[in-house]
Short mmCIF file of all heavy atoms in Angstrom, two decimals:
data_model
loop_
_atom_site.label_atom_id
_atom_site.label_comp_id
_atom_site.label_asym_id
_atom_site.label_seq_id
_atom_site.Cartn_x
_atom_site.Cartn_y
_atom_site.Cartn_z
N GLY A 92 102.80 -3.16 237.81
CA GLY A 92 103.18 -2.07 236.90
C GLY A 92 103.00 -2.60 235.44
O GLY A 92 102.83 -3.78 235.17
N ASP A 93 103.11 -1.70 234.47
CA ASP A 93 102.91 -1.94 233.07
C ASP A 93 104.32 -1.75 232.50
O ASP A 93 104.91 -0.88 232.59
CB ASP A 93 102.07 -0.82 232.47
CG ASP A 93 101.61 -1.07 231.10
OD1 ASP A 93 102.29 -1.91 230.32
OD2 ASP A 93 100.57 -0.55 230.69
N MET A 94 104.74 -2.82 231.72
CA MET A 94 106.03 -2.78 231.02
C MET A 94 106.08 -1.69 229.93
O MET A 94 107.17 -1.50 229.44
CB MET A 94 106.55 -4.12 230.60
CG MET A 94 105.68 -4.79 229.53
SD MET A 94 106.36 -6.46 229.24
CE MET A 94 105.34 -7.06 227.98
N LEU A 95 105.01 -1.18 229.61
CA LEU A 95 104.99 0.00 228.60
C LEU A 95 105.31 1.32 229.28
O LEU A 95 105.75 2.39 228.57
CB LEU A 95 103.65 0.11 228.10
CG LEU A 95 103.14 -0.81 226.94
CD1 LEU A 95 101.84 -0.85 226.64
CD2 LEU A 95 103.97 -0.42 225.61
N ASP A 96 105.49 1.30 230.62
CA ASP A 96 105.91 2.42 231.35
C ASP A 96 106.77 2.01 232.58
O ASP A 96 106.40 1.69 233.64
CB ASP A 96 104.67 3.26 231.93
CG ASP A 96 105.13 4.46 232.69
OD1 ASP A 96 106.36 4.89 232.60
OD2 ASP A 96 104.31 5.01 233.35
N LEU A 97 108.17 2.03 232.28
CA LEU A 97 108.99 1.66 233.31
C LEU A 97 109.75 2.76 234.03
O LEU A 97 110.87 2.65 234.58
CB LEU A 97 110.09 0.63 232.66
CG LEU A 97 109.44 -0.68 232.13
CD1 LEU A 97 110.57 -1.50 231.43
CD2 LEU A 97 108.81 -1.52 233.28
N THR A 98 109.13 4.00 233.94
CA THR A 98 109.94 5.14 234.41
C THR A 98 110.20 5.08 235.89
O THR A 98 111.30 5.66 236.25
CB THR A 98 109.06 6.38 234.11
OG1 THR A 98 107.76 6.15 234.43
CG2 THR A 98 109.18 6.68 232.67
N ASP A 99 109.45 4.42 236.70
CA ASP A 99 109.66 4.53 238.20
C ASP A 99 110.00 3.19 238.76
O ASP A 99 109.89 2.96 239.97
CB ASP A 99 108.46 5.15 238.89
CG ASP A 99 108.15 6.45 238.41
OD1 ASP A 99 109.11 7.25 238.25
OD2 ASP A 99 106.94 6.79 238.25
N VAL A 100 110.57 2.29 237.97
CA VAL A 100 110.86 0.96 238.57
C VAL A 100 112.33 0.86 239.12
O VAL A 100 112.56 -0.19 239.75
CB VAL A 100 110.62 -0.20 237.54
CG1 VAL A 100 109.11 -0.06 237.03
CG2 VAL A 100 111.62 -0.01 236.31
N GLY A 101 113.11 1.83 238.85
CA GLY A 101 114.61 1.71 239.34
C GLY A 101 115.31 1.10 238.30
O GLY A 101 114.98 0.94 237.17
N THR A 102 116.72 0.77 238.58
CA THR A 102 117.61 0.30 237.54
C THR A 102 118.05 -1.12 238.02
O THR A 102 118.22 -1.42 239.21
CB THR A 102 118.86 1.19 237.36
OG1 THR A 102 119.45 1.42 238.69
CG2 THR A 102 118.37 2.51 236.87
N TYR A 103 118.43 -1.92 237.10
CA TYR A 103 118.79 -3.28 237.38
C TYR A 103 119.92 -3.72 236.47
O TYR A 103 120.32 -3.20 235.50
CB TYR A 103 117.56 -4.33 237.05
CG TYR A 103 116.39 -3.95 237.89
CD1 TYR A 103 115.49 -2.81 237.48
CD2 TYR A 103 116.13 -4.62 239.05
CE1 TYR A 103 114.42 -2.48 238.29
CE2 TYR A 103 115.13 -4.28 239.91
CZ TYR A 103 114.24 -3.21 239.57
OH TYR A 103 113.13 -2.95 240.31
N GLU A 104 120.60 -4.77 237.02
CA GLU A 104 121.73 -5.34 236.29
C GLU A 104 121.28 -6.19 235.14
O GLU A 104 121.92 -6.27 234.03
CB GLU A 104 122.61 -6.29 237.24
CG GLU A 104 123.32 -5.54 238.28
CD GLU A 104 124.07 -6.49 239.27
OE1 GLU A 104 123.81 -7.76 239.12
OE2 GLU A 104 124.88 -5.98 240.01
N ALA A 105 120.16 -6.81 235.37
CA ALA A 105 119.48 -7.63 234.11
C ALA A 105 117.89 -7.39 234.23
O ALA A 105 117.40 -7.30 235.15
CB ALA A 105 119.90 -8.99 234.24
N ILE A 106 117.42 -7.63 233.02
CA ILE A 106 115.99 -7.50 232.84
C ILE A 106 115.54 -8.68 231.90
O ILE A 106 116.11 -8.87 230.93
CB ILE A 106 115.45 -6.15 232.28
CG1 ILE A 106 115.75 -5.13 233.34
CG2 ILE A 106 113.91 -6.30 232.01
CD1 ILE A 106 115.23 -3.66 232.92
N THR A 107 114.51 -9.50 232.27
CA THR A 107 114.09 -10.57 231.46
C THR A 107 112.60 -10.39 231.13
O THR A 107 111.81 -9.74 231.87
CB THR A 107 114.14 -11.87 232.20
OG1 THR A 107 113.48 -11.95 233.34
CG2 THR A 107 115.69 -12.10 232.56
N CYS A 108 112.22 -10.90 229.99
CA CYS A 108 110.82 -10.85 229.64
C CYS A 108 110.47 -12.17 228.82
O CYS A 108 110.73 -12.23 227.55
CB CYS A 108 110.42 -9.62 228.83
SG CYS A 108 108.66 -9.43 228.47
N TYR A 109 110.15 -13.20 229.46
CA TYR A 109 109.93 -14.50 228.76
C TYR A 109 108.43 -14.88 228.49
O TYR A 109 107.63 -14.11 228.84
CB TYR A 109 110.69 -15.54 229.52
CG TYR A 109 112.12 -15.46 229.62
CD1 TYR A 109 112.95 -15.57 230.77
CD2 TYR A 109 112.76 -15.27 228.38
CE1 TYR A 109 114.27 -15.41 230.75
CE2 TYR A 109 114.27 -15.23 228.40
CZ TYR A 109 114.99 -15.27 229.50
OH TYR A 109 116.29 -15.27 229.62
N SER A 110 108.40 -16.11 228.02
CA SER A 110 107.02 -16.68 227.81
C SER A 110 106.21 -15.81 226.73
O SER A 110 105.12 -15.53 226.92
CB SER A 110 106.12 -16.75 229.07
OG SER A 110 105.05 -17.70 228.93
N ASP A 111 106.98 -15.37 225.71
CA ASP A 111 106.51 -14.67 224.55
C ASP A 111 105.61 -13.36 225.08
O ASP A 111 104.70 -13.00 224.24
CB ASP A 111 105.77 -15.45 223.54
CG ASP A 111 104.75 -16.44 224.15
OD1 ASP A 111 105.30 -17.67 224.42
OD2 ASP A 111 103.64 -16.20 224.34
N SER A 112 105.93 -12.85 226.19
CA SER A 112 105.08 -11.62 226.66
C SER A 112 105.22 -10.45 225.70
O SER A 112 104.22 -9.68 225.64
CB SER A 112 105.57 -11.37 228.05
OG SER A 112 105.35 -12.40 229.02
N ILE A 113 106.36 -10.28 225.03
CA ILE A 113 106.44 -9.21 224.10
C ILE A 113 105.44 -9.31 222.97
O ILE A 113 104.92 -8.37 222.44
CB ILE A 113 107.79 -9.15 223.52
CG1 ILE A 113 108.99 -8.65 224.66
CG2 ILE A 113 108.03 -8.16 222.34
CD1 ILE A 113 108.94 -7.33 225.09
N CYS A 114 105.11 -10.57 222.61
CA CYS A 114 104.11 -10.72 221.52
C CYS A 114 102.63 -10.20 221.85
O CYS A 114 101.85 -10.14 220.95
CB CYS A 114 104.09 -12.25 221.22
SG CYS A 114 105.62 -12.77 220.51
N TYR A 115 102.49 -9.95 223.08
CA TYR A 115 101.11 -9.39 223.54
C TYR A 115 101.05 -7.87 223.31
O TYR A 115 99.89 -7.32 223.48
CB TYR A 115 100.97 -9.74 224.99
CG TYR A 115 100.46 -11.22 225.31
CD1 TYR A 115 101.39 -12.24 225.43
CD2 TYR A 115 99.07 -11.61 225.12
CE1 TYR A 115 100.98 -13.62 225.47
CE2 TYR A 115 98.68 -12.91 225.25
CZ TYR A 115 99.70 -13.88 225.45
OH TYR A 115 99.34 -15.22 225.59
N MET A 116 102.14 -7.28 222.88
CA MET A 116 102.07 -5.82 222.73
C MET A 116 101.27 -5.65 221.30
O MET A 116 101.36 -6.43 220.41
CB MET A 116 103.47 -5.28 222.49
CG MET A 116 104.35 -5.33 223.80
SD MET A 116 103.65 -4.34 225.14
CE MET A 116 103.06 -5.64 226.18
N GLU A 117 100.54 -4.57 221.33
CA GLU A 117 99.56 -4.34 220.27
C GLU A 117 100.15 -4.12 218.92
O GLU A 117 99.75 -4.61 217.88
CB GLU A 117 98.65 -3.19 220.66
CG GLU A 117 97.54 -2.98 219.64
CD GLU A 117 96.43 -1.84 220.06
OE1 GLU A 117 96.75 -1.34 221.12
OE2 GLU A 117 95.47 -1.65 219.38
N ASP A 118 101.32 -3.28 218.85
CA ASP A 118 101.84 -3.05 217.65
C ASP A 118 103.36 -2.63 217.81
O ASP A 118 103.85 -2.74 218.92
CB ASP A 118 101.19 -1.84 217.04
CG ASP A 118 101.12 -0.61 217.97
OD1 ASP A 118 101.93 -0.46 218.80
OD2 ASP A 118 100.10 0.17 217.81
N GLU A 119 104.00 -2.38 216.73
CA GLU A 119 105.54 -2.21 216.67
C GLU A 119 105.89 -1.02 217.67
O GLU A 119 106.93 -0.92 218.36
CB GLU A 119 106.02 -1.91 215.18
CG GLU A 119 107.21 -2.63 214.93
CD GLU A 119 107.59 -2.53 213.46
OE1 GLU A 119 106.73 -2.70 212.62
OE2 GLU A 119 108.80 -2.36 213.23
N GLN A 120 104.89 0.09 217.64
CA GLN A 120 105.14 1.18 218.47
C GLN A 120 105.25 0.82 219.91
O GLN A 120 106.14 1.38 220.72
CB GLN A 120 104.17 2.30 218.29
CG GLN A 120 104.45 3.54 219.01
CD GLN A 120 103.20 4.61 218.82
OE1 GLN A 120 102.42 4.39 217.76
NE2 GLN A 120 103.15 5.60 219.62
N SER A 121 104.38 -0.09 220.35
CA SER A 121 104.32 -0.55 221.72
C SER A 121 105.71 -1.33 222.06
O SER A 121 106.20 -1.31 223.26
CB SER A 121 103.19 -1.52 221.95
OG SER A 121 101.95 -0.57 221.80
N VAL A 122 106.12 -2.24 221.20
CA VAL A 122 107.20 -3.03 221.36
C VAL A 122 108.44 -2.04 221.54
O VAL A 122 109.41 -2.29 222.43
CB VAL A 122 107.63 -4.02 220.18
CG1 VAL A 122 108.83 -4.79 220.33
CG2 VAL A 122 106.39 -5.00 220.14
N GLN A 123 108.55 -1.16 220.71
CA GLN A 123 109.69 -0.06 220.80
C GLN A 123 109.56 0.63 222.19
O GLN A 123 110.58 1.00 222.75
CB GLN A 123 109.45 0.91 219.65
CG GLN A 123 110.66 1.94 219.55
CD GLN A 123 111.85 1.26 219.16
OE1 GLN A 123 112.08 0.78 217.99
NE2 GLN A 123 112.93 1.27 220.09
N GLN A 124 108.35 0.88 222.57
CA GLN A 124 108.19 1.58 223.97
C GLN A 124 108.79 0.70 224.97
O GLN A 124 109.49 1.15 225.97
CB GLN A 124 106.72 1.83 224.14
CG GLN A 124 106.41 2.99 225.08
CD GLN A 124 105.00 3.29 225.02
OE1 GLN A 124 104.30 3.48 224.01
NE2 GLN A 124 104.37 3.55 226.25
N VAL A 125 108.51 -0.58 225.00
CA VAL A 125 108.97 -1.53 225.99
C VAL A 125 110.60 -1.50 225.93
O VAL A 125 111.22 -1.39 226.95
CB VAL A 125 108.55 -2.93 225.82
CG1 VAL A 125 109.19 -3.94 226.73
CG2 VAL A 125 106.96 -2.99 226.01
N PHE A 126 111.09 -1.69 224.70
CA PHE A 126 112.62 -1.66 224.61
C PHE A 126 113.21 -0.43 225.10
O PHE A 126 114.21 -0.41 225.71
CB PHE A 126 112.92 -1.91 223.13
CG PHE A 126 112.63 -3.37 222.53
CD1 PHE A 126 112.71 -3.52 221.11
CD2 PHE A 126 112.22 -4.21 223.40
CE1 PHE A 126 112.41 -4.85 220.62
CE2 PHE A 126 111.90 -5.55 222.88
CZ PHE A 126 111.97 -5.93 221.41
N ASP A 127 112.69 0.67 224.64
CA ASP A 127 113.19 2.03 225.18
C ASP A 127 113.16 2.06 226.85
O ASP A 127 114.28 2.41 227.32
CB ASP A 127 112.40 3.17 224.76
CG ASP A 127 112.45 3.32 223.17
OD1 ASP A 127 113.29 2.72 222.55
OD2 ASP A 127 111.66 4.08 222.60
#
Side-chain angles (χ1 to χ4, degrees):
D93 189 341
M94 61 184 179
L95 283 164
D96 181 11
L97 298 175
T98 44
D99 296 319
V100 299
T102 54
Y103 297 86
E104 293 178 348
I106 296 177
T107 65
C108 187
Y109 288 133
S110 199
D111 44 272
S112 298
I113 292 286
C114 294
Y115 283 87
M116 296 299 104
E117 188 177 1
D118 51 29
E119 226 172 312
Q120 184 181 346
S121 302
V122 176
Q123 185 69 65
Q124 202 169 319
V125 174
F126 290 171
D127 292 347

